[in-house]
Amino acid sequence: MADSRPVTLDLEGLQRLIDVLGEQGFTVLGPTVRSGAVVPGRVGSVADLPRGWGDRQEPGSYRLRRRDDDALFGYAADAIGWKAVLFPARELMWSGSVGPDGFDVRPGPGPSTYGEPPYAVLGIRSCDLHAVAVHDRVLAERTYADPHYAERRRDAFLVTVVCGDPSGTCFCVSMGTGPRADAGYDLALTELLDGQHRFLARAGSARGEAVLAAVDTRPAEDRDEEESEQVVAHAVAHMGRAMDTTGLRDLLYDNAEHPRWDDVASRCLSCGNCTMVCPTCFCTSVEEHTSLSGHDTEHWRIWDSCFTTDFSYLHGGSVRTSPRSRYRQWMTHKLAAWIDQFGTSGCVGCGRCLTSCPVGIDITEEVAAIRAAPGPRKEDAHATGR
Amino acid sequence: MSDRPTPRPRLAVWKFASCDGCQLTLLNCEDELLELAGAVEIAYFPEATRAVVEGPYDVSLVEGSVTTPSDRERIQEVRAASRRLVTIGACATAGGIQALRNFADVEEFTSIVYAHPEYISTLDTATPISAHVPVDYELRGCPIDRAQLLEVIAAFVQRRKPRVADESVCMECKRRGTVCVTVAHGTPCLGPVTHAGCGALCPAYDRGCYGCFGPAGTANTASLAHRLVDLGMPRRDVGRVFRTFNAASPAFAEESARHLGSEQEVAR
Ligand code: SF4
Ligand code: SF4
Ligand code: SF4
Ligand code: SF4
């Protein structure tokens, strides 16, 4: 639907927004500070938000920093991400027992660490909204939908907040995914810090409009909209990184034997952190938890990663035994094969894989290195979209 | 199904050079002990019961490393009496903390520690059980994880593969939603090269992993060591973080040797 007219709300209005969402039965989640980082958590009041906190992110490093203002959303991508809210890291699919009347199956899912759905997510960034759209395609819109995901997703209320202060690892502008979301949200806020601390708000859905109607707002003035444009312009001008995506799919397909893969393999720990934090990575494995008696079982689905050897284990052994093959698989799937498979890149430029890599491997740098000295073009190799 | 109960598999628990912590993990399975006793016949377990049932045994759990000539003989007998042999813990799977002797001169130690070193009959090295007899399964940890132990016993009782993932501690750390201590605090952490199994316990308490489950199958210790140096750790300490409970595991032993140089250096 078309966006409604923008309005502004102040901090009391923001509190009211949190209250209204709570009254409507949502578990309200938002950015909170825990263990030296901004991470998703339960939010009951404006006081729970990371007021005055910003971050400093570089490959392999994340630090909170004090801002010289009272911004509530003055950080960049949070350290852990929202993936686990709609797509839990461990999820009970079903459980069953052998009883006198045969095998009794109980459906999942079990309880979530984030509380009961439906969730209202306050402060999701544009990059992460794009990642949710990727998950929708992968998990909910194919022949076999994941019903648990689809239900949590359908019911979730998403409040995006424009990024005003990107970090050193952000590159959403390159990927066309930020810093301001143009779709996929119920409400979009821009935090304005000039003069009175306020938010420019826009509804992106009928539900969003209804919630906004229950909050004390004022029609936005020209000044508010101009300031909002400046927040976006500032963010665009302060992207930490860039990735040149021109012909990237073919570039990677053509360079499966590039010497750079050996170079990155010498640094890569195969620890899997990059895949765990990537908001679009969706690979899982299933585990059977059987009791000693063999009478009860639980069927769990857990996040998995192409960086483990178990991941590609077929009868007799693992297919990707070298770190070179594993890193290449990850990056080539993410940036090339994903396009053939899902019609979109698997990277939204959130920068988490760079920040969270213990040895600071930078996907933008790896792309640039291959681009700087590419192997010969293989003219007819792409027709099949391997 | 016939009405006659199938005999329960007979379980034995053996101790070699070790601290007993892994065996105690079995006793700590309080909630599951009754179920366990129903599923297996605990036939030999001196730590828990004096009752002894003669072998052979269906499953033997072996704790500890081989450090004496007599243990070198005894492990052969244990193997001969066991249909399946599962080693439990860092001592049995990698030699344990006592394998630090492998990097030093044992005679020098005994001459300092004991008033009458001539009574001491010990080997120059502490070695994992797999260095002496074929092992059917190795369960890591110092100590082992309770849930993993029950899973391995269940798997052997049910004659299936144990569900124990060979992946890094980081995978469990991220699934748990822990903020990374290396990335966010600059704390050295061996999680990226350490075998999962503990559920990423230490980082959940804002501490770095010290590698008590030993190296993951994919461990790139050289790259992590490089990072530890970048974080400001002196090279000698980088060598030492790899010389703890799993010092003699090949991946950690090679890495420590790169930083500590000659073998005698660590003994001083
Ligand atoms: S590949 Fe890296 S930068 Fe791209 S979406 Fe995933 S975590 Fe973010
Ligand atoms: S790229 Fe970094 S985070 Fe990813 S597996 Fe390699 S070392 Fe770990
Ligand atoms: S805290 Fe340690 S185990 Fe956890 S992700 Fe970071 S490096 Fe890995
Ligand atoms: S985090 Fe590391 S040191 Fe701590 S219990 Fe787990 S494997 Fe052992």
Side-chain angles (χ1 to χ4, degrees):
Chain A
M1 66 169 286
D3 276 2
S4 58
R5 300 247 358 112
V7 296
T8 60
L9 49 103
D10 57 14
L11 294 185
E12 275 172 36
L14 185 67
Q15 180 61 54
R16 184 71 195 126
L17 173 66
I18 295 170
D19 294 341
V20 169
L21 290 169
E23 285 158 16
Q24 294 195 356
F26 290 104
T27 294
V28 184
L29 304 172
T32 57
V33 169
R34 168 164 61 83
S35 227
V38 175
V39 296
R42 294 286 281 267
V43 167
S45 92
V46 169
D48 295 330
L49 299 171
R51 182 192 292 262
W53 286 111
D55 54 29
R56 204 173 284 121
Q57 299 188 40
E58 290 301 330
S61 171
Y62 178 106
R63 290 293 183 282
L64 283 180
R65 78 182 150 85
R66 268 284 164 208
R67 296 174 57 92
D68 52 14
D69 57 27
D70 280 338
L72 299 170
F73 300 92
Y75 56 91
D78 65 287
I80 286 180
W82 296 97
K83 179 163 78 169
V85 174
L86 298 177
F87 185 59
R90 309 180 52 81
E91 181 162 26
L92 180 63
M93 305 310 278
W94 54 265
S95 55
S97 330
V98 185
D101 306 321
F103 194 60
D104 171 34
V105 175
R106 295 173 297 276
S112 157
T113 45
Y114 289 102
E116 284 297 300
Y119 302 112
V121 175
L122 178 60
I124 187 167
R125 299 304 194 186
S126 180
C127 55
D128 288 339
L129 271 186
H130 282 82
V132 169
V134 170
H135 269 190
D136 288 350
R137 208 159 307 169
V138 175
L139 300 170
E141 292 165 9
R142 291 194 293 167
T143 315
Y144 298 102
D146 167 352
H148 297 165
Y149 173 85
E151 190 179 327
R152 279 187 296 259
R153 170 69 179 99
R154 185 195 64 216
D155 297 341
F157 189 97
L158 302 179
V159 184
T160 183
V161 179
V162 172
C163 259
D165 208 350
S167 81
T169 55
C170 291
F171 56 103
C172 61
V173 169
S174 304
M175 306 313 288
T177 55
R180 173 166 56 188
D182 43 25
Y185 54 81
D186 295 292
L187 280 182
L189 306 181
T190 312
E191 185 168 30
L192 304 178
L193 294 154
D194 67 318
Q196 197 213 2
H197 194 171
R198 67 203 186 285
F199 294 86
L200 184 85
R202 219 183 267 276
S205 68
R207 284 198 307 173
E209 260 186 80
V211 166
L212 213 47
V215 176
D216 222 5
T217 62
R218 296 153 46 123
E221 294 169 15
D222 288 349
R223 191 173 71 93
D224 301 320
E225 298 213 44
E226 279 158 25
E227 177 62 17
S228 159
E229 291 305 318
Q230 275 178 32
V231 169
V232 175
H234 178 270
V236 170
H238 288 83
M239 278 291 117
R241 281 179 155 63
M243 184 193 282
D244 180 358
T245 58
T246 323
L248 186 51
R249 167 181 165 276
D250 291 350
L251 180 78
L252 293 177
Y253 283 163
D254 286 341
N255 286 282
E257 301 302 330
H258 199 280
R260 183 70 183 192
W261 301 119
D262 292 315
D263 182 281
V264 68
S266 72
R267 289 172 280 135
C268 178
L269 304 165
S270 293
C271 63
N273 272 302
C274 47
T275 52
M276 297 282 108
V277 295
C278 178
T280 69
C281 273
F282 55 79
C283 283
T284 52
S285 61
V286 285
E287 289 185 340
E288 211 59 48
H289 292 219
T290 319
S291 67
L292 266 168
S293 65
H295 291 164
D296 306 285
T297 190
E298 291 180 346
H299 195 72
W300 286 83
R301 185 179 67 184
I302 64 166
W303 288 357
D304 204 349
S305 167
C306 48
F307 280 94
T308 73
T309 44
D310 282 354
F311 184 82
S312 65
Y313 189 94
L314 301 178
H315 54 86
S318 180
V319 174
R320 295 187 203 105
T321 50
S322 68
R324 175 185 191 271
S325 65
R326 292 190 290 270
Y327 189 87
R328 182 179 63 184
Q329 153 65 26
W330 182 65
M331 193 166 112
T332 308
H333 185 216
K334 187 114 298 209
L335 300 175
W338 210 292
I339 298 172
D340 294 320
Q341 214 178 347
F342 306 115
T344 174
S345 170
C347 176
V348 297
C350 72
R352 286 198 187 84
C353 60
L354 291 69
T355 301
S356 298
C357 175
V359 289
I361 290 172
D362 173 351
I363 191 171
T364 69
E365 192 184 316
E366 297 310 316
V367 167
I370 289 176
R371 197 182 281 290
R377 262 291 355 233
K378 299 195 188 78
E379 281 308 330
D380 54 358
H382 312 296
T384 55
R386 302 155 299 178
Chain B
M1 254 189 245
S2 89
D3 286 344
R4 216 156 48 110
T6 40
R8 290 167 301 161
R10 291 146 56 89
L11 181 81
V13 184
W14 308 91
K15 176 184 160 62
F16 286 76
S18 60
C19 77
D20 284 26
C22 290
Q23 296 189 48
L24 282 176
T25 305
L26 189 59
L27 288 180
N28 283 344
C29 297
E30 287 161 9
D31 293 342
E32 297 86 0
L33 263 185
L34 279 179
E35 197 185 355
L36 181 67
V40 297
E41 179 191 354
I42 300 179
Y44 179 82
F45 189 12
E47 183 95 14
T49 164
R50 255 174 288 168
V52 175
V53 181
E54 293 293 313
Y57 306 99
D58 292 295
V59 182
S60 276
L61 301 178
V62 179
E63 175 196 88
S65 59
V66 174
T67 57
T68 63
S70 64
D71 274 357
R72 199 167 46 190
E73 307 303 317
R74 189 163 60 101
I75 187 60
Q76 301 295 339
E77 292 160 23
V78 170
R79 176 70 262 193
S82 313
R83 201 169 64 81
R84 291 274 179 258
L85 190 153
V86 176
T87 53
I88 57 171
C91 301
T93 60
I97 191 77
Q98 57 274 29
L100 284 177
R101 71 165 68 174
N102 302 7
F103 304 95
D105 179 356
V106 172
E107 259 177 51
E108 202 181 312
F109 285 169
T110 45
S111 71
I112 296 167
V113 173
Y114 299 100
H116 288 282
E118 64 273 20
Y119 295 138
I120 302 296
S121 167
T122 191
L123 298 171
D124 286 346
T125 56
T127 41
I129 301 301
S130 61
H132 302 269
V133 296
V135 169
D136 294 296
Y137 196 78
E138 295 191 308
L139 183 63
R140 309 279 202 90
C142 183
I144 52 171
D145 177 78
R146 206 174 66 94
Q148 281 201 330
L149 176 64
L150 286 168
E151 163 60 17
V152 168
I153 294 174
F156 276 88
V157 168
Q158 294 157 7
R159 302 188 180 210
R160 60 174 172 84
K161 191 172 170 241
R163 173 179 46 72
V164 173
D166 179 6
E167 59 185 22
S168 71
V169 173
C170 296
M171 297 273 291
E172 299 186 299
C173 194
K174 281 290 182 290
R175 289 191 199 110
R176 193 170 172 155
T178 301
V179 171
C180 176
V181 302
T182 295
V183 164
H185 312 159
T187 302
C189 179
L190 293 190
V193 298
T194 300
H195 196 290
C198 67
L201 197 54
C202 297
Y205 294 91
D206 280 350
R207 295 185 39 162
C209 166
Y210 50 90
C212 77
F213 274 58
T218 51
N220 182 351
T221 52
S223 176
L224 186 69
H226 196 266
R227 174 75 175 134
L228 294 177
V229 172
D230 280 352
L231 285 172
M233 189 183 274
R235 273 192 73 114
R236 197 178 75 147
D237 294 356
V238 173
R240 283 184 164 174
V241 297
F242 291 104
R243 274 203 193 155
T244 60
F245 316 95
N246 293 277
S249 65
F252 284 4
E254 279 166 33
E255 193 56 43
S256 64
R258 273 199 275 273
H259 303 272
L260 293 169
S262 89
E263 297 184 342
Q264 308 310 329
E265 231 167 287
V266 73
R268 282 195 207 110

